[in-house]
Amino acid sequence: MNLSVKAIERLNGRYVLLRLTDDKPLPLMKGGQFVEVRIDHSPSTFLRRPISVNFVDRTANELWLLVACVGDGTRSLATLHEGDTLNCVLPLGNGFTFPSDKTAGHTVLLVGGGVGVAPLLYQGALLKEKGIVPTFLLGARSKNDLLMLSAFEKYGRVLVTTEDGSLGEKGFVTNHSVWEHEHFSMIQCCGPLPMMKAVARCAKAKDIDCEVSLENLMACGLGACLCCVEKVLSDETTQHATNVCVCKEGPVFNIKRLLWQD
């Protein structure tokens, strides 16, 4: 579908926030789903680019996309202007889940690093709608690399780590003291692969249910090109391995299904 650029905000030298809208109500979307964006003004970009759903504002009928400008295609998105049209296939993939039982007192830790913080904002908002106020644990190299903190603070408590100690606790997200002092019902995570593996190890050691959003290269988003294949267990209870397309069966997986090698 063709969406109109309602606003574009440059957050820092590397990231831009696109706010898109349409004349019709946007389709329902889940936290952790993504869109495939067509790049129209980059001669070297032939395939669509997968971008996480950052937020959906139902009142304003807006879809937010947080874009890391790292290549010709994404840098081209940063040159869009208000009123331009962006063709998107959406929503795609399977998103994060919610605590399965209905008992009160669930606590959810949402862990993100880099542009991996993007899907956690909408998931946090959806959790809050269900009466579960999340804790966000966001990591970056320095305070200048942290994104949208004020937006996250609307939906839950925000904890921060920076590698240089310029804001929050110094170190990686897995070094934060919250791991020692609090227990959570569920952990949901997105970011660089080494970070997600480290978070998964922490969750496993503490016997906490954990989901991660994989960032395999997804060219088509429909399971046709097979470039995002990941070997996983067929389900969480058997040891039978199978290959799946992350774009269709994911990008969110429970870590019990993943065959990561430490």
Side-chain angles (χ1 to χ4, degrees), residues 204-220:
K204 187 175 181 180
K206 296 177 179 294
D207 194 28
I208 303 173
D209 197 30
C210 180
E211 294 175 339
V212 297
S213 180
L214 301 187
E215 295 186 325
N216 298 34
L217 180 64
M218 294 180 282
C220 73

Side-chain angles (χ1 to χ4, degrees), residues 7 17 59 75 114 118 158 183 231 233 245 256:
L17 179 66
T59 302
R75 283 195 293 267
V158 177
H183 183 81
K231 181 174 283 189
L233 297 178
C245 290
K256 295 175 183 176

Side-chain angles (χ1 to χ4, degrees), residues 15-239:
Y15 294 95
V16 296
L17 179 66
L18 294 176
R19 291 167 46 200
L20 309 174
T21 191
D22 192 36
D23 295 335
K24 303 180 295 296
L26 293 169
L28 294 176
M29 287 172 259
K30 299 177 181 178
Q33 288 188 303
F34 66 99
V35 307
E36 285 278 355
V37 176
R38 190 176 71 202
I39 311 296
D40 290 330
H41 305 293
S42 176
S44 63
T45 307
F46 303 102
L47 300 173
R48 290 177 180 266
R49 291 294 183 263
I51 301 177
S52 297
V53 172
N54 177 223
F55 191 74
V56 181
D57 185 332
R58 290 291 167 198
T59 302
N61 199 41
E62 289 182 2
L63 166 65
W64 297 6
L65 301 181
L66 179 61
V67 181
C69 303
V70 295
D72 290 345
T74 48
R75 283 195 293 267
S76 177
L77 292 177
T79 66
L80 292 170
H81 298 91
E82 182 179 340
D84 286 346
T85 297
L86 191 63
N87 184 269
C88 301
V89 180
L90 77 160
L92 297 171
N94 292 303
F96 294 109
T97 64
F98 300 94
S100 56
D101 63 86
K102 304 299 182 181
T103 57
H106 283 297
T107 54
V108 179
L109 181 66
L110 302 179
V111 186
V115 75
V117 306
L120 303 183
L121 179 62
Y122 188 42
Q123 177 63 7
L126 294 175
L127 282 165
K128 189 173 181 181
E129 283 183 5
K130 292 181 176 293
I132 302 171
V133 180
T135 295
F136 298 100
L137 176 54
L138 310 177
R141 291 180 180 176
S142 74
K143 65 180 182 181
N144 296 325
D145 300 307
L146 289 163
L147 303 169
M148 306 181 72
L149 291 184
S150 60
F152 283 102
E153 288 168 351
K154 295 178 182 178
Y155 302 105
R157 178 177 54 149
V158 177
L159 307 176
V160 167
T161 64
T162 50
E163 294 177 32
D164 64 0
S166 54
L167 189 65
E169 296 190 15
K170 185 175 183 178
F172 301 117
V173 289
T174 48
N175 301 133
H176 198 282
S177 58
V178 71
W179 296 99
E180 299 300 325
H181 302 306
E182 298 184 37
H183 183 81
F184 295 91
S185 308
M186 176 180 282
I187 296 171
Q188 296 173 329
C189 177
C190 185
L193 184 59
M195 186 207 80
M196 290 195 292
K197 288 185 176 183
V199 169
R201 287 193 294 269
C202 289
K204 187 175 181 180
K206 296 177 179 294
D207 194 28
I208 303 173
D209 197 30
C210 180
E211 294 175 339
V212 297
S213 180
L214 301 187
E215 295 186 325
N216 298 34
L217 180 64
M218 294 180 282
C220 73
L222 303 172
C225 68
L226 304 181
C227 69
C228 64
V229 167
E230 180 86 14
K231 181 174 283 189
V232 301
L233 297 178
S234 56
D235 58 53
E236 297 175 17
T237 59
T238 71
Q239 294 302 308

